[in-house]
Amino acid sequence: VWVAPSESSAGGFGGVSWKGVTFMLENGDKVVGSVNVTGYDRLSDYFRTFDEPFLEVYGCRLGNREFELLYLSPSRVIWKEPVE
C-alpha cells in the first residue's frame, strides 16, 4: 500500500510516521522532503541508527523540480534539519 507523505503525519494513516527534512548535499543542492521514521521515537534516532546505503526521501523538491522519491547517499549529505 502506497502512502504519500502528505496523507499522513506522525502516527497517522496506516501507522506510518513521516517527518519533513531538509538535506544540504556536498554539491550545494538542497533537497526538501519526507522520510519514513516509523519505529523511531525521534528523527535524530532515525539518522543516528540509519545503516542503509541510501536514504529514501519522498515527496521531495530539488531546486525547482519535484520528485515522488529520491535516493540520497548519506555520505554526500553535509547537514540535515527537520522541517517544521
Side-chain angles (χ1 to χ4, degrees), residues 17-49:
S17 182
W18 297 97
K19 294 289 184 181
V21 182
T22 299
F23 299 90
M24 178 60 75
L25 307 181
E26 65 184 13
N27 67 356
D29 287 340
K30 187 185 289 189
V31 176
V32 180
S34 297
V35 294
N36 180 348
V37 295
T38 303
Y40 297 91
D41 292 330
R42 300 179 309 224
L43 187 59
S44 61
D45 293 339
Y46 170 78
F47 287 117
R48 188 175 44 78
T49 60

Side-chain angles (χ1 to χ4, degrees), residues 42-80:
R42 300 179 309 224
L43 187 59
S44 61
D45 293 339
Y46 170 78
F47 287 117
R48 188 175 44 78
T49 60
F50 188 84
D51 63 354
E52 299 297 322
F54 295 99
L55 295 159
E56 294 180 356
V57 185
Y58 293 85
C60 56
R61 285 189 330 269
L62 172 60
N64 60 358
R65 298 176 297 181
E66 294 188 8
F67 299 90
E68 186 174 321
L69 171 63
L70 276 180
Y71 293 94
L72 298 179
S73 172
S75 66
R76 302 294 183 219
V77 175
I78 296 174
W79 56 257
K80 50 198 163 288

